[in-house]
Amino acid sequence: MQNNVIRLHKDAPEDVAPPVADTLTETIIDVVQDAEPRPVDNPEQKTLEGTWLAEKQAYLAEAPPVVPTFLRNAAQFIDATRWTISYAMHVTGFHALRAPVYLARLLLRAPRGTGRLLVRWGRWVADTEARPVEAKAAASADIEAWLSLSREHSRRVRPRRIASLVVATATGITTLVSAFLVPGWTITAAITAAALAGLYGKKGDKPLITRYVATNVLRKLDSTEVFDALAAIGIEGKKGKRGVEFAAEVMRDGPGWRAEVDLPPGVEATAVLEKRAALAAAMRRPISTVWPEADRTAHPGRLVLWVASRDPAKAGRKLWPLMRDGQADVYEPLPYGFDPRGNLVDMTLIYSNLLVGGIPGSGKTSCALAIVLGVALDPTAELWIYELKGSGDLDAVKPVCHRYVSGDEDDDLEAALAGLRSGIAEYQRRAKFIKSLPASEVPEGRKVTRALAEKYPEQNLAPRVIVVDEVQELFTHPEYKDEAAALCTRLIKKGRAYGLILILLTQNPDAPSLPTSVSSSVGTRLCLAVMDWRSNNNVLGTSAYERGLRATDISIDEQGTGILARGREGITVRAAFIKQTEAEDIGKRALALRTAAGTLTGQAVGAAVVEEDVETVLDHLRAIWPDGVEAVHSHRLVEALARFRPDLYKPWLDMDAAGASTALSVALKPFRVSTRQLTIRECCGGAKGLRWADLPAVEEGE
């Protein structure tokens, strides 16, 4: 640094003493009057455009790999070779089986072909192509030309007649003799000759060979189509500015084509995602084959357009990986379904929870089967299923469930609530045990792991998966909705670290049927076809629709197809379709695995399941306490408690206000919490009540 003075203005007097500053942190600003502006880009580092070096640098920037991808990846090479051999064998077998049909067609066409050959032979022998020229000479009375053409005609026709007579005589004699001496060979030769003649008897609209017409195979994607389609939906550069540019060449990507496009400056890829249907219409392709997505690893304006070579909705079914054999591990990702490219998509349930929403008929049953069957194939996982529709869609796993309830009556809803309460009690028990362990045994944090579950089998730390299908029946019930929302929210937030996994499925993903406290806490979400952006955001999270995660674009005909999101990112996935008969076979295999491992419990072994409820009146008060309110009168709390747990607190409503207040005070005495006289002007003056500060703090594990 050359200056010790901070001069902020050119007219400042030089004799003014500068302020004393810390020399270690002082910033010196040297302002030079009338200084020339300096370029921000260093011209010395810029290579001149058009030079040999610039061209080579541009080539190396995006140079193709020296060794092709299919040679560098042994798995891809083996897979491609296997499919090529399979294709060749299929085509060979297909036509070999139909060879007799082809021969019959040729023989049927032989008369027509023979006639055509005889006509062509006759025209050749008679030299009919010269007749029009002779006729023209005769018509014009050109005698010399006519005589010359006649002599040339005779010279050409005579040898042809002689050759034809010789060939016909020799062929006839040979055929007659062969018919007596070698009749087998003669018949074979005759059939071969007839088949060859049949080649000339074909009709243009009836091909000889049977051909498979793949009606769902689409045309190849090219840059012109992409340019035109983006322009049709209004995505193009303004006049005098850069437009759409390709970041890479259009290439094959699985069963389709991939195009990476840089949109015009200032245009985000979400602008295309919002117009997916319009883009498919502009490309004249089925909407199920057009999948635009943003490449956030590059920049917000990078669009990756994947177009399927065949309509996925018409493609053959891909089998679930665990359909035939194998077992699962809930602590690892479970196979679930396939993306539009046909790649397997896994779903991670451990340390997370799952919310599935979609309108009726969107394929929720397919999703539920793929999930619960995966859990059932883990012999250590404990399944608690509450199917509140009563259709028996999940009966395939009933033999392995610790608790299984199917129905939509109040008794079934109460059983589901009891199961949720038991989940709260279980996570509290596990939390206390995990808290007692030294840090050396929980190096990854205080949570249940496979290693801990195996080390302490007496603690029963295996994953417990609680599935509530048609959960809107709980959330919309006039008596159970408040408690159901509170229990689910608490279990989602606190149970996941201790191996308790809650899976909620609903066909009414609207606000009344899906409390915000629940939807905002779930880590993994799957949204099937929905009708509007509100339902979309209820399942996938706030602003998901604006970020391009739009299940509204999914047709109800694409059953089992939805957007799977964990956090802000999401992918389109279709659940592996499993028939009910196949699900029963998988359920039998899961039963055999658990029988061999000795892990069948609860209803699976005929034992009565007791849903333990360890929640206290303090827990209930915390659940119903109004947000942001410091004090509430006792009679108001009793009314809220009666709505929350009518089975426990509804009798208190039969008392007068003083009796209800006394009942609450008595219930709180064991916890050393006392009601007091409170004056709340916003409510109803003075009465007995509680302050939020009077409730003891929640301890870890509660």
Side-chain angles (χ1 to χ4, degrees), residues 458-478:
E458 72 282 357
Q459 292 294 329
N460 189 21
L461 299 177
R464 178 185 291 191
V465 181
I466 304 174
V467 181
V468 185
D469 191 11
E470 305 296 347
V471 72
Q472 75 277 354
E473 298 295 328
L474 278 177
F475 292 148
T476 58
H477 195 280

Side-chain angles (χ1 to χ4, degrees), residues 24-325:
L24 296 178
T25 59
E26 182 180 11
T27 302
I28 305 299
I29 304 176
D30 191 2
V31 180
V32 181
Q33 185 176 359
D34 300 329
E36 293 293 334
R38 296 176 58 187
V40 295
D41 297 324
N42 190 347
E44 297 178 357
Q45 298 180 356
K46 184 178 180 181
T47 305
L48 295 177
E49 297 182 359
T51 63
W52 178 88
L53 182 59
E55 293 179 359
K56 303 313 173 188
Q57 287 178 346
Y59 171 80
L60 289 176
E62 298 182 0
V66 176
V67 180
T69 304
F70 70 92
L71 290 179
R72 286 184 288 138
N73 191 321
Q76 289 187 10
F77 178 78
I78 294 173
D79 187 65
T81 303
R82 179 171 60 85
W83 281 108
T84 302
I85 296 174
S86 299
Y87 171 78
M89 293 177 62
H90 173 79
V91 172
T92 302
F94 181 88
H95 293 298
L97 183 65
R98 289 161 177 78
V101 178
Y102 300 158
L103 180 60
R105 290 176 181 174
L106 287 173
L107 295 178
L108 290 174
R109 297 175 182 181
R112 186 187 302 111
T114 302
R116 289 176 179 176
L117 288 174
L118 291 175
V119 170
R120 290 187 62 182
W121 193 355
R123 289 178 178 177
W124 175 74
V125 171
D127 196 18
T128 56
E129 64 270 14
R131 292 295 177 84
V133 181
E134 294 181 24
K136 184 178 180 180
S140 61
D142 189 346
I143 299 176
E144 293 183 1
W146 181 81
L147 290 173
S148 175
L149 290 173
S150 296
R151 288 191 296 269
E152 181 64 23
H153 175 73
S154 299
R155 187 184 68 80
R156 288 163 57 89
V157 169
R158 182 178 176 82
R160 296 181 182 182
R161 290 175 179 174
I162 296 173
S164 299
L165 182 61
V166 171
V167 170
T169 302
T171 302
I173 295 173
T174 303
T175 303
L176 184 62
V177 173
S178 300
F180 290 99
L181 298 180
V182 282
W185 286 96
T186 303
I187 295 174
T188 303
I191 294 175
T192 303
L196 293 174
L199 292 175
Y200 288 91
K202 66 179 181 180
K203 292 184 177 180
D205 59 341
K206 293 183 179 180
L208 172 66
I209 297 176
T210 302
R211 298 177 181 177
Y212 168 70
V213 180
T215 57
N216 60 334
V217 176
L218 306 176
R219 65 184 180 277
K220 181 181 179 181
L221 182 70
D222 55 31
S223 59
T224 302
E225 182 180 359
V226 176
F227 277 127
D228 294 343
L230 291 176
I233 63 174
I235 307 296
E236 56 182 338
K238 297 181 179 179
K239 187 176 181 181
K241 295 185 178 181
R242 293 167 57 189
V244 175
E245 298 178 351
F246 278 84
E249 63 181 6
V250 180
M251 65 186 72
R252 288 287 301 186
D253 183 10
W257 296 275
R258 174 189 178 95
E260 296 185 15
V261 178
D262 283 336
L263 300 179
V267 179
E268 296 184 10
T270 52
V272 179
L273 304 184
E274 295 173 357
K275 302 179 179 180
R276 177 179 167 231
L279 180 66
M283 301 175 74
R284 295 295 188 266
R285 296 177 183 264
I287 189 172
S288 58
T289 65
V290 179
W291 297 99
E293 59 185 24
D295 185 1
R296 299 185 181 275
T297 59
H299 56 83
R302 173 69 58 81
L303 173 73
V304 176
L305 177 62
W306 188 83
V307 177
S309 58
R310 62 174 60 231
D311 191 347
K314 300 177 182 178
R317 179 172 70 125
K318 295 179 73 68
L319 293 182
W320 191 52
L322 299 176
M323 182 77 75
R324 300 284 184 258
D325 52 23

Side-chain angles (χ1 to χ4, degrees), residues 83 128 220 227 325 354 395 431 474 521 605 626 654 681 690:
W83 281 108
T128 56
K220 181 181 179 181
F227 277 127
D325 52 23
L354 176 64
D395 282 356
L474 278 177
S521 304
V605 293
D654 298 334
R681 296 180 180 178
L690 277 176

